[in-house]
Coordinates of all heavy atoms in Angstrom, one line a residue:
E1 N -11.2 71.1 -18.1 CA -10.3 70.0 -18.1 C -10.4 69.2 -19.4 O -11.4 68.9 -19.9 CB -10.5 69.2 -16.9 CG -9.6 68.0 -16.8 CD -9.8 67.2 -15.5 OE1 -9.9 67.9 -14.3 OE2 -10.0 66.0 -15.6
V2 N -9.4 68.7 -20.0 CA -9.4 68.0 -21.2 C -8.5 66.6 -20.9 O -7.4 66.8 -20.4 CB -8.7 68.6 -22.4 CG1 -8.6 67.7 -23.7 CG2 -9.5 70.0 -22.6
N3 N -9.1 65.6 -21.2 CA -8.5 64.3 -21.2 C -8.4 63.6 -22.5 O -9.4 63.6 -23.3 CB -9.3 63.4 -20.1 CG -9.3 63.9 -18.8 OD1 -8.4 63.9 -18.1 ND2 -10.6 64.3 -18.3
I4 N -7.2 63.0 -22.8 CA -6.9 62.3 -24.0 C -6.5 60.9 -23.8 O -5.6 60.7 -23.0 CB -5.8 63.1 -24.9 CG1 -6.2 64.5 -25.2 CG2 -5.5 62.4 -26.1 CD1 -5.2 65.4 -25.8
G5 N -7.2 60.0 -24.5 CA -6.9 58.6 -24.4 C -6.6 58.0 -25.7 O -7.2 58.3 -26.7
V6 N -5.7 57.1 -25.7 CA -5.4 56.2 -26.8 C -5.4 54.9 -26.7 O -4.9 54.3 -25.5 CB -4.0 56.7 -27.4 CG1 -3.6 55.9 -28.7 CG2 -4.0 58.2 -27.7
G7 N -5.8 54.0 -27.5 CA -5.8 52.5 -27.3 C -6.1 51.7 -28.6 O -6.3 52.3 -29.7
S8 N -6.1 50.5 -28.5 CA -6.5 49.6 -29.6 C -7.4 48.6 -29.1 O -7.3 47.9 -28.1 CB -5.1 49.0 -30.0 OG -5.4 48.2 -31.1
E9 N -8.4 48.3 -30.1 CA -9.4 47.3 -29.8 C -9.9 46.7 -31.0 O -10.3 47.4 -32.0 CB -10.5 48.0 -29.0 CG -11.5 46.9 -28.4 CD -12.5 47.7 -27.6 OE1 -12.1 48.0 -26.4 OE2 -13.6 47.9 -27.9
E10 N -9.9 45.4 -31.2 CA -10.5 44.7 -32.3 C -9.9 45.2 -33.6 O -10.7 45.5 -34.6 CB -12.0 44.7 -32.3 CG -12.7 43.9 -31.1 CD -14.1 44.2 -31.1 OE1 -14.7 44.5 -32.1 OE2 -14.6 43.7 -30.0
G11 N -8.6 45.4 -33.8 CA -8.1 45.9 -35.0 C -8.2 47.4 -35.4 O -8.1 47.8 -36.4
R12 N -8.7 48.2 -34.4 CA -8.9 49.6 -34.5 C -8.1 50.3 -33.5 O -8.0 49.9 -32.3 CB -10.3 49.9 -34.4 CG -11.3 49.5 -35.5 CD -12.6 50.0 -35.3 NE -13.4 49.9 -36.5 CZ -14.6 50.2 -36.6 NH1 -15.3 50.6 -35.4 NH2 -15.4 50.0 -37.6
T13 N -7.6 51.4 -33.9 CA -7.0 52.3 -32.9 C -8.0 53.5 -32.7 O -8.8 53.9 -33.5 CB -5.8 53.0 -33.5 OG1 -4.7 52.0 -33.9 CG2 -5.0 54.1 -32.7
F14 N -8.2 53.7 -31.5 CA -9.0 54.9 -31.0 C -8.3 56.0 -30.3 O -7.4 55.7 -29.6 CB -10.3 54.3 -30.3 CG -10.0 53.8 -28.9 CD1 -9.8 54.6 -27.8 CD2 -9.8 52.4 -28.7 CE1 -9.5 54.0 -26.6 CE2 -9.5 51.9 -27.5 CZ -9.4 52.7 -26.4
I15 N -8.8 57.1 -30.5 CA -8.4 58.4 -29.8 C -9.5 59.0 -29.3 O -10.5 59.2 -29.9 CB -7.6 59.2 -30.7 CG1 -6.4 58.5 -31.5 CG2 -7.1 60.5 -30.0 CD1 -5.9 59.4 -32.6
S16 N -9.5 59.2 -27.9 CA -10.6 59.9 -27.2 C -10.2 61.2 -26.7 O -9.1 61.2 -26.0 CB -11.1 59.0 -26.1 OG -12.0 59.6 -25.3
I17 N -10.9 62.2 -26.9 CA -10.6 63.6 -26.5 C -11.9 64.0 -25.7 O -13.0 64.1 -26.4 CB -10.3 64.5 -27.6 CG1 -9.1 64.1 -28.4 CG2 -10.0 66.0 -27.0 CD1 -9.4 63.5 -29.7
R18 N -11.8 64.1 -24.4 CA -13.0 64.3 -23.6 C -12.7 65.6 -22.8 O -11.7 65.9 -22.3 CB -13.2 63.3 -22.6 CG -14.5 63.3 -21.8 CD -14.8 62.2 -20.9 NE -13.8 61.2 -21.2 CZ -13.3 60.2 -20.4 NH1 -13.8 60.1 -19.2 NH2 -12.5 59.2 -20.7
D19 N -13.7 66.5 -22.8 CA -13.6 67.8 -21.9 C -14.7 67.9 -20.9 O -15.6 67.2 -20.9 CB -13.3 68.9 -22.8 CG -14.8 69.3 -23.5 OD1 -15.9 69.2 -22.9 OD2 -14.6 69.8 -24.7
T20 N -14.5 68.8 -20.0 CA -15.6 69.1 -19.0 C -16.2 70.5 -19.2 O -16.5 71.1 -18.3 CB -15.0 69.0 -17.6 OG1 -13.9 69.8 -17.5 CG2 -14.6 67.5 -17.2
G21 N -16.2 70.8 -20.5 CA -16.7 72.2 -20.8 C -18.2 72.3 -20.8 O -18.9 71.5 -20.1
I22 N -18.8 73.3 -21.6 CA -20.1 73.5 -21.5 C -21.0 72.5 -22.4 O -22.2 72.5 -22.3 CB -20.4 74.9 -22.3 CG1 -19.9 75.1 -23.7 CG2 -19.7 76.0 -21.2 CD1 -20.4 76.3 -24.3
G23 N -20.4 71.6 -23.1 CA -21.1 70.6 -23.8 C -22.0 71.2 -24.9 O -21.9 72.4 -25.3
M24 N -22.8 70.5 -25.6 CA -23.6 70.9 -26.8 C -25.0 70.2 -26.7 O -25.1 69.1 -26.3 CB -22.9 70.5 -28.0 CG -21.5 71.2 -28.4 SD -20.7 70.5 -29.8 CE -20.0 69.0 -29.2
T25 N -25.8 70.8 -27.4 CA -27.2 70.3 -27.5 C -27.2 69.4 -28.7 O -26.2 69.4 -29.5 CB -28.2 71.3 -27.8 OG1 -27.9 72.0 -29.0 CG2 -28.2 72.4 -26.6
R26 N -28.2 68.5 -28.8 CA -28.4 67.6 -30.0 C -28.4 68.5 -31.2 O -27.9 68.1 -32.4 CB -29.7 66.8 -29.9 CG -29.5 65.7 -28.9 CD -30.6 64.8 -29.1 NE -30.6 63.8 -28.0 CZ -31.4 62.7 -27.9 NH1 -32.4 62.6 -29.0 NH2 -31.2 61.9 -27.0
E27 N -29.1 69.6 -31.2 CA -29.2 70.5 -32.6 C -27.7 71.1 -32.9 O -27.4 70.9 -34.1 CB -30.0 71.6 -32.3 CG -30.4 72.4 -33.5 CD -31.0 71.6 -34.6 OE1 -31.8 70.6 -34.4 OE2 -30.9 72.0 -35.8
E28 N -26.9 71.4 -31.9 CA -25.6 71.8 -32.2 C -24.7 70.7 -32.7 O -24.0 71.0 -33.8 CB -25.0 72.4 -31.0 CG -25.5 73.6 -30.5 CD -25.1 74.2 -29.2 OE1 -24.9 73.3 -28.3 OE2 -24.8 75.4 -29.1
I29 N -24.8 69.5 -32.2 CA -24.0 68.4 -32.7 C -24.3 68.2 -34.2 O -23.4 67.7 -34.9 CB -24.3 67.2 -31.8 CG1 -23.8 67.4 -30.4 CG2 -23.7 65.9 -32.4 CD1 -24.2 66.3 -29.3
K30 N -25.6 68.3 -34.7 CA -26.0 68.0 -36.0 C -25.1 68.8 -36.9 O -25.0 68.5 -38.1 CB -27.4 68.3 -36.3 CG -28.3 67.3 -35.6 CD -29.7 67.8 -36.0 CE -30.8 66.9 -35.3 NZ -32.2 67.4 -35.5
H31 N -24.5 69.9 -36.5 CA -24.0 71.0 -37.4 C -22.4 71.1 -37.2 O -21.8 71.9 -38.0 CB -24.7 72.4 -37.2 CG -26.1 72.4 -37.6 ND1 -26.5 72.2 -38.9 CD2 -27.2 72.2 -36.8 CE1 -27.9 72.1 -38.9 NE2 -28.3 72.2 -37.6
I32 N -21.9 70.6 -36.1 CA -20.5 70.9 -35.8 C -19.5 70.5 -36.9 O -18.4 71.1 -36.8 CB -20.1 70.5 -34.4 CG1 -20.1 68.8 -34.5 CG2 -21.0 70.8 -33.3 CD1 -19.6 68.1 -33.3
F33 N -19.7 69.7 -37.8 CA -18.8 69.3 -38.8 C -19.1 70.2 -40.1 O -18.5 70.0 -41.1 CB -18.8 67.8 -39.1 CG -18.4 67.1 -37.9 CD1 -19.2 66.3 -37.2 CD2 -16.9 67.0 -37.6 CE1 -18.7 65.5 -36.1 CE2 -16.6 66.3 -36.6 CZ -17.5 65.5 -35.8
D34 N -20.1 70.9 -40.1 CA -20.3 71.9 -41.2 C -19.2 72.9 -41.3 O -19.0 73.6 -40.2 CB -21.8 72.6 -41.1 CG -22.9 71.6 -41.2 OD1 -22.6 70.4 -41.6 OD2 -23.9 71.9 -40.8
R35 N -18.8 73.3 -42.5 CA -17.8 74.4 -42.5 C -18.4 75.8 -42.1 O -19.6 76.1 -42.4 CB -17.3 74.7 -44.1 CG -16.4 73.5 -44.3 CD -15.9 73.5 -45.8 NE -17.2 73.6 -46.7 CZ -17.1 74.1 -47.9 NH1 -16.0 74.6 -48.4 NH2 -18.1 74.0 -48.7
F36 N -17.8 76.5 -41.4 CA -18.1 77.9 -40.9 C -19.0 77.9 -39.7 O -19.6 78.9 -39.3 CB -18.4 78.8 -42.1 CG -17.5 78.8 -43.2 CD1 -17.8 78.3 -44.4 CD2 -16.2 79.3 -43.0 CE1 -16.8 78.2 -45.4 CE2 -15.3 79.4 -43.9 CZ -15.6 78.9 -45.2
Y37 N -19.5 76.7 -39.2 CA -20.4 76.7 -38.1 C -19.8 76.9 -36.9 O -18.6 76.4 -36.6 CB -21.2 75.2 -38.1 CG -22.2 75.3 -37.0 CD1 -23.4 75.8 -37.0 CD2 -21.8 74.5 -35.8 CE1 -24.2 75.9 -36.0 CE2 -22.7 74.5 -34.7 CZ -24.0 75.1 -34.8 OH -24.8 75.0 -33.9
R38 N -20.3 77.7 -36.1 CA -19.8 78.2 -34.7 C -21.0 77.8 -33.7 O -22.0 78.6 -33.8 CB -19.4 79.5 -34.7 CG -18.3 79.9 -35.5 CD -17.9 81.2 -35.4 NE -16.9 81.7 -36.4 CZ -16.7 82.9 -36.6 NH1 -17.4 83.9 -36.0 NH2 -15.7 83.2 -37.6
S39 N -20.9 76.9 -32.9 CA -22.1 76.6 -32.0 C -21.9 77.7 -30.8 O -23.0 77.9 -30.2 CB -21.9 75.2 -31.4 OG -20.7 75.1 -30.6
D40 N -20.8 78.2 -30.4 CA -20.7 79.1 -29.4 C -21.1 80.5 -29.9 O -20.3 81.1 -30.7 CB -19.3 79.1 -28.8 CG -19.1 80.0 -27.5 OD1 -20.0 80.8 -27.3 OD2 -18.0 79.9 -27.0
K41 N -22.2 81.0 -29.6 CA -22.6 82.3 -30.1 C -21.9 83.4 -29.7 O -21.9 84.5 -30.2 CB -24.2 82.6 -29.7 CG -25.1 81.4 -30.1 CD -25.3 81.2 -31.5 CE -26.2 80.2 -31.9 NZ -25.8 79.3 -33.0
S42 N -21.1 83.2 -28.6 CA -20.2 84.4 -28.2 C -19.0 84.5 -29.1 O -18.2 85.5 -29.0 CB -19.7 84.1 -26.8 OG -18.8 83.0 -26.7
R43 N -18.7 83.6 -30.0 CA -17.5 83.7 -30.9 C -17.9 84.6 -32.1 O -18.9 84.3 -32.8 CB -17.0 82.3 -31.5 CG -16.4 81.5 -30.4 CD -15.9 80.3 -31.0 NE -15.1 79.5 -29.9 CZ -14.0 79.0 -30.3 NH1 -13.3 79.0 -31.3 NH2 -13.4 78.3 -29.2
T44 N -17.1 85.6 -32.2 CA -17.3 86.5 -33.4 C -16.1 86.6 -34.1 O -15.0 86.1 -33.7 CB -17.7 88.0 -32.9 OG1 -16.4 88.5 -32.2 CG2 -18.9 87.9 -32.0
K45 N -16.1 87.2 -35.3 CA -15.0 87.3 -36.2 C -13.8 88.1 -35.4 O -12.7 87.9 -35.4 CB -15.2 88.2 -37.4 CG -16.1 87.3 -38.4 CD -16.4 88.3 -39.6 CE -17.4 87.4 -40.5 NZ -17.6 88.1 -41.8
E46 N -14.2 89.1 -34.5 CA -13.2 89.8 -33.7 C -12.6 88.9 -32.7 O -11.4 89.0 -32.2 CB -13.9 90.9 -33.0 CG -14.5 92.0 -34.1 CD -15.7 91.6 -34.7 OE1 -16.4 91.0 -34.0 OE2 -15.9 92.1 -35.8
K47 N -13.3 87.9 -32.1 CA -12.8 87.1 -31.0 C -12.1 85.8 -31.6 O -11.5 85.1 -30.9 CB -13.9 86.5 -30.1 CG -14.4 87.7 -29.2 CD -15.4 87.2 -28.3 CE -15.9 88.3 -27.3 NZ -16.8 87.8 -26.2
G48 N -12.1 85.5 -32.9 CA -11.4 84.4 -33.5 C -12.1 83.3 -33.7 O -13.4 83.2 -33.3
G49 N -11.6 82.4 -34.5 CA -12.2 81.2 -34.9 C -12.9 81.4 -36.2 O -13.5 82.4 -36.5
H50 N -12.8 80.4 -37.1 CA -13.4 80.4 -38.4 C -14.5 79.3 -38.5 O -15.1 79.3 -39.7 CB -12.4 80.4 -39.5 CG -11.5 81.6 -39.4 ND1 -11.8 82.7 -39.9 CD2 -10.1 81.6 -38.9 CE1 -10.7 83.7 -39.7 NE2 -9.7 83.0 -39.1
G51 N -14.6 78.5 -37.7 CA -15.6 77.4 -37.8 C -15.2 76.3 -38.8 O -16.0 75.7 -39.4
L52 N -13.9 76.2 -39.0 CA -13.3 75.3 -40.0 C -12.6 73.9 -39.3 O -12.5 73.0 -40.0 CB -12.3 75.9 -40.9 CG -12.9 76.8 -41.9 CD1 -11.7 77.7 -42.6 CD2 -13.8 76.1 -42.8
G53 N -12.3 74.2 -38.1 CA -11.4 73.1 -37.4 C -12.0 71.7 -37.4 O -11.3 70.7 -37.9
L54 N -13.2 71.5 -37.1 CA -13.8 70.2 -37.0 C -14.1 69.7 -38.4 O -14.1 68.5 -38.7 CB -15.1 70.2 -36.2 CG -15.0 70.2 -34.6 CD1 -16.2 70.3 -33.8 CD2 -14.1 69.0 -34.2
A55 N -14.5 70.5 -39.4 CA -14.8 70.2 -40.7 C -13.4 69.6 -41.4 O -13.5 68.5 -42.0 CB -15.2 71.3 -41.5
I56 N -12.3 70.2 -41.1 CA -11.1 69.9 -41.6 C -10.6 68.5 -41.0 O -10.2 67.6 -41.6 CB -9.9 70.8 -41.4 CG1 -10.2 72.1 -42.3 CG2 -8.5 70.3 -41.6 CD1 -9.4 73.3 -42.1
A57 N -10.9 68.4 -39.5 CA -10.5 67.2 -38.9 C -11.3 66.0 -39.5 O -10.7 64.9 -39.8 CB -10.8 67.3 -37.5
K58 N -12.6 66.2 -39.8 CA -13.3 65.1 -40.2 C -12.9 64.7 -41.7 O -12.8 63.5 -42.0 CB -14.8 65.4 -40.4 CG -15.7 64.3 -40.8 CD -17.2 64.8 -40.8 CE -18.0 63.5 -41.1 NZ -19.4 63.8 -41.1
I59 N -12.4 65.6 -42.6 CA -12.0 65.3 -43.9 C -10.8 64.5 -43.8 O -10.5 63.5 -44.5 CB -11.7 66.6 -44.7 CG1 -13.1 67.2 -45.0 CG2 -10.8 66.3 -45.9 CD1 -12.9 68.7 -45.6
I60 N -9.8 64.9 -42.9 CA -8.6 64.1 -42.6 C -8.9 62.7 -42.1 O -8.3 61.8 -42.7 CB -7.7 64.8 -41.7 CG1 -7.2 66.2 -42.3 CG2 -6.4 64.0 -41.3 CD1 -6.5 67.1 -41.4
I61 N -9.7 62.6 -41.2 CA -10.1 61.2 -40.6 C -10.8 60.4 -41.6 O -10.4 59.2 -41.7 CB -11.0 61.5 -39.3 CG1 -10.1 62.1 -38.4 CG2 -11.6 60.1 -39.0 CD1 -11.1 62.7 -37.1
L62 N -11.6 61.0 -42.4 CA -12.3 60.1 -43.6 C -11.3 59.7 -44.6 O -11.4 58.6 -45.1 CB -13.5 60.9 -44.0 CG -14.7 61.1 -43.2 CD1 -15.7 62.0 -43.9 CD2 -15.4 59.9 -42.7
G63 N -10.3 60.6 -44.9 CA -9.3 60.3 -45.8 C -8.4 59.1 -45.5 O -7.7 58.6 -46.2
H64 N -8.4 58.8 -44.1 CA -7.7 57.8 -43.5 C -8.6 56.5 -43.2 O -8.3 55.6 -42.5 CB -6.8 58.1 -42.3 CG -5.8 58.9 -42.7 ND1 -4.5 58.5 -43.2 CD2 -5.6 60.3 -42.6 CE1 -3.7 59.5 -43.4 NE2 -4.3 60.7 -43.0
N65 N -9.7 56.6 -44.0 CA -10.8 55.5 -43.9 C -11.2 55.4 -42.3 O -11.5 54.1 -41.9 CB -10.3 54.1 -44.3 CG -10.2 54.2 -45.9 OD1 -10.9 54.8 -46.5 ND2 -9.0 53.7 -46.2
G66 N -11.2 56.5 -41.6 CA -11.5 56.5 -40.1 C -13.0 57.0 -39.9 O -13.7 57.4 -41.0
K67 N -13.4 57.0 -38.7 CA -14.6 57.6 -38.3 C -14.5 58.4 -37.1 O -13.5 58.3 -36.4 CB -15.6 56.5 -37.9 CG -16.0 55.4 -39.0 CD -16.9 54.4 -38.5 CE -17.2 53.5 -39.6 NZ -18.1 52.4 -39.1
I68 N -15.5 59.5 -36.9 CA -15.4 60.2 -35.7 C -16.8 60.4 -35.1 O -17.7 60.5 -35.9 CB -14.9 61.7 -36.0 CG1 -14.8 62.5 -34.7 CG2 -15.6 62.4 -37.1 CD1 -13.9 63.7 -34.8
K69 N -16.8 60.0 -33.9 CA -18.1 60.0 -33.3 C -18.0 61.2 -32.0 O -17.0 61.4 -31.6 CB -18.3 58.7 -32.4 CG -18.4 57.6 -33.4 CD -18.7 56.3 -32.7 CE -18.6 55.0 -33.7 NZ -19.0 53.9 -33.0
V70 N -19.3 61.6 -31.8 CA -19.3 62.7 -30.7 C -20.4 62.4 -29.7 O -21.5 61.9 -30.1 CB -19.8 64.0 -31.5 CG1 -19.9 65.1 -30.4 CG2 -18.8 64.3 -32.4
K71 N -20.1 62.5 -28.4 CA -21.1 62.4 -27.4 C -20.9 63.6 -26.6 O -19.9 64.2 -26.2 CB -20.7 61.3 -26.5 CG -20.6 59.9 -27.1 CD -20.2 58.8 -26.0 CE -20.0 57.4 -26.7 NZ -19.6 56.4 -25.7
S72 N -22.2 64.2 -26.3 CA -22.0 65.6 -25.6 C -23.4 65.8 -25.0 O -24.4 65.3 -25.6 CB -21.8 66.7 -26.5 OG -21.6 67.8 -25.7
K73 N -23.5 66.5 -23.8 CA -24.7 67.0 -23.2 C -24.3 68.3 -22.7 O -23.3 68.6 -22.2 CB -25.0 66.1 -22.0 CG -25.7 64.7 -22.4 CD -26.3 64.1 -21.2 CE -26.9 62.7 -21.6 NZ -27.4 62.0 -20.5
A74 N -25.3 69.2 -23.0 CA -25.2 70.6 -22.6 C -24.9 70.7 -21.0 O -25.7 70.0 -20.2 CB -26.4 71.4 -22.9
G75 N -23.9 71.4 -20.6 CA -23.6 71.5 -19.2 C -22.7 70.5 -18.7 O -22.4 70.5 -17.5
Q76 N -22.4 69.3 -19.6 CA -21.6 68.2 -19.0 C -20.5 67.9 -19.9 O -19.8 66.8 -19.5 CB -22.6 67.0 -18.9 CG -23.7 67.2 -18.0 CD -24.7 65.9 -17.9 OE1 -24.1 64.8 -18.4 NE2 -25.8 66.0 -17.3
G77 N -20.1 68.6 -20.8 CA -18.8 68.4 -21.5 C -19.2 67.5 -22.8 O -20.3 67.2 -23.1
S78 N -18.0 67.3 -23.5 CA -18.2 66.5 -24.9 C -17.1 65.5 -24.9 O -16.0 65.6 -24.2 CB -18.0 67.4 -26.0 OG -19.0 68.6 -25.8
E79 N -17.3 64.5 -25.8 CA -16.3 63.5 -25.9 C -16.2 63.2 -27.5 O -17.3 63.1 -28.1 CB -16.5 62.2 -25.2 CG -15.4 61.2 -25.6 CD -15.6 59.9 -24.8 OE1 -16.7 59.6 -24.3 OE2 -14.6 59.1 -24.6
F80 N -15.1 63.3 -28.2 CA -14.9 63.0 -29.6 C -14.0 61.7 -29.5 O -13.0 61.6 -28.9 CB -14.1 64.1 -30.3 CG -15.0 65.3 -30.5 CD1 -15.2 66.3 -29.4 CD2 -15.6 65.6 -31.6 CE1 -15.8 67.5 -29.6 CE2 -16.3 66.8 -31.8 CZ -16.5 67.7 -30.8
I81 N -14.5 60.7 -30.3 CA -13.8 59.5 -30.5 C -13.5 59.3 -31.9 O -14.3 59.2 -32.8 CB -14.7 58.3 -30.0 CG1 -15.0 58.6 -28.5 CG2 -13.9 57.0 -30.1 CD1 -16.1 57.6 -28.0
I82 N -12.3 59.1 -32.2 CA -11.6 58.9 -33.5 C -11.3 57.3 -33.6 O -10.6 56.9 -32.8 CB -10.4 59.8 -33.8 CG1 -10.9 61.2 -33.7 CG2 -10.0 59.5 -35.2 CD1 -9.7 62.2 -33.6
L83 N -11.9 56.8 -34.6 CA -11.6 55.3 -34.9 C -10.8 55.2 -36.2 O -11.3 55.7 -37.2 CB -12.8 54.6 -35.0 CG -13.8 54.5 -33.6 CD1 -15.1 54.0 -34.0 CD2 -13.1 53.7 -32.6
L84 N -9.7 54.5 -36.1 CA -8.8 54.3 -37.3 C -8.6 52.8 -37.4 O -8.2 52.2 -36.5 CB -7.5 55.1 -37.2 CG -7.6 56.6 -37.1 CD1 -6.3 57.1 -36.8 CD2 -8.2 57.2 -38.4
E85 N -8.8 52.3 -38.7 CA -8.3 50.9 -38.9 C -6.7 50.7 -38.8 O -6.1 51.5 -39.4 CB -8.9 50.4 -40.3 CG -10.3 50.4 -40.4 CD -11.0 49.3 -39.6 OE1 -10.5 48.3 -39.6 OE2 -12.2 49.6 -39.2
E86 N -6.4 49.7 -38.2 CA -4.9 49.3 -38.1 C -4.5 48.8 -39.5 O -5.2 47.8 -39.9 CB -4.7 48.6 -36.9 CG -4.8 49.3 -35.6 CD -4.4 48.5 -34.4 OE1 -3.9 47.3 -34.5 OE2 -4.6 49.0 -33.3
K87 N -3.4 49.1 -40.0 CA -3.0 48.5 -41.3 C -2.1 47.3 -41.0 O -1.4 47.4 -40.0 CB -2.2 49.5 -42.1 CG -3.0 50.6 -42.6 CD -2.1 51.6 -43.4 CE -2.9 52.7 -43.8 NZ -2.1 53.7 -44.6
P88 N -2.3 46.3 -41.7 CA -1.4 44.9 -41.6 C 0.0 45.4 -41.6 O 0.3 46.2 -42.4 CB -1.9 44.0 -42.6 CG -3.3 44.5 -43.0 CD -3.1 46.0 -42.8
G89 N 0.9 44.7 -40.9 CA 2.2 44.9 -41.1 C 2.8 46.2 -40.2 O 3.9 46.7 -40.4
T90 N 2.0 46.9 -39.4 CA 2.4 48.0 -38.7 C 3.1 47.6 -37.4 O 3.5 48.5 -36.6 CB 1.2 48.9 -38.4 OG1 0.3 48.3 -37.6 CG2 0.7 49.5 -39.6
G91 N 3.2 46.3 -37.2 CA 3.9 45.9 -36.0 C 3.0 45.8 -34.7 O 3.4 45.7 -33.5
R92 N 1.8 46.0 -34.8 CA 0.7 46.0 -33.7 C 0.1 44.7 -33.7 O -0.6 44.3 -34.6 CB -0.2 47.1 -33.9 CG 0.4 48.4 -33.8 CD -0.7 49.4 -34.1 NE 0.0 50.7 -34.5 CZ -0.6 51.9 -34.6 NH1 -1.9 51.9 -34.2 NH2 0.0 52.9 -35.0
D93 N 0.2 44.0 -32.6 CA -0.5 42.5 -32.5 C -1.5 42.6 -31.5 O -1.5 43.2 -30.5 CB 0.6 41.6 -32.2 CG 1.6 41.4 -33.3 OD1 1.3 41.4 -34.6 OD2 2.9 41.3 -33.0

C-alpha cells in the first residue's frame, strides 16, 4: 500500500510518500541516493531497475532548493518527505 500526502506548513510545501513495504535498514538508507545502488538484492539486470531513480529525484529536489528526508524500518515500510520552499507571489497564503 502506498499513501501520498501533500500540504503546506510554515512557508514550505511538503509531499509525503509512505508505503507498507519491506522497509530498509539504517545501512541501506545511507546508500539509497547513491547512483546505481540497489538495496533489494533480488533486483538484477534481468529483472529491471538501474539504481538511478532516487539519485535523480534528489538532484531535481536539490535543484529546487528543496530537501528530501527518509524514515524507514526493516519490515515496517518507508516514508519519503520532500520539502520545498514556497515562492512569494504564488498565491498561497
Side-chain angles (χ1 to χ4, degrees):
E1 184 175 309
V2 176
N3 294 295
I4 300 173
V6 179
S8 181
E9 189 175 285
E10 297 179 13
R12 288 183 167 175
T13 297
F14 64 87
I15 304 165
S16 168
I17 301 104
R18 186 175 354 152
D19 70 37
T20 56
I22 61 171
M24 294 176 278
T25 65
R26 285 184 184 194
E27 189 61 31
E28 289 172 317
I29 292 171
K30 290 179 187 178
H31 301 285
I32 61 172
F33 295 107
D34 296 345
R35 288 182 297 160
F36 308 113
Y37 178 76
R38 296 180 191 162
S39 66
D40 184 353
K41 304 299 181 216
S42 68
R43 286 187 181 226
T44 63
K45 290 180 183 177
E46 293 78 32
K47 289 189 177 182
H50 297 285
L52 290 172
L54 288 174
I56 292 169
K58 185 173 182 179
I59 290 169
I60 293 168
I61 293 163
L62 292 175
H64 290 279
N65 297 318
K67 295 180 183 180
I68 184 166
K69 298 180 180 184
V70 181
K71 297 179 186 178
S72 187
K73 285 189 179 179
Q76 297 183 14
S78 302
E79 180 178 21
F80 290 81
I81 302 167
I82 301 166
L83 299 166
L84 300 169
E85 297 290 326
E86 293 181 2
K87 294 180 181 179
T90 58
R92 300 177 199 189
D93 295 321

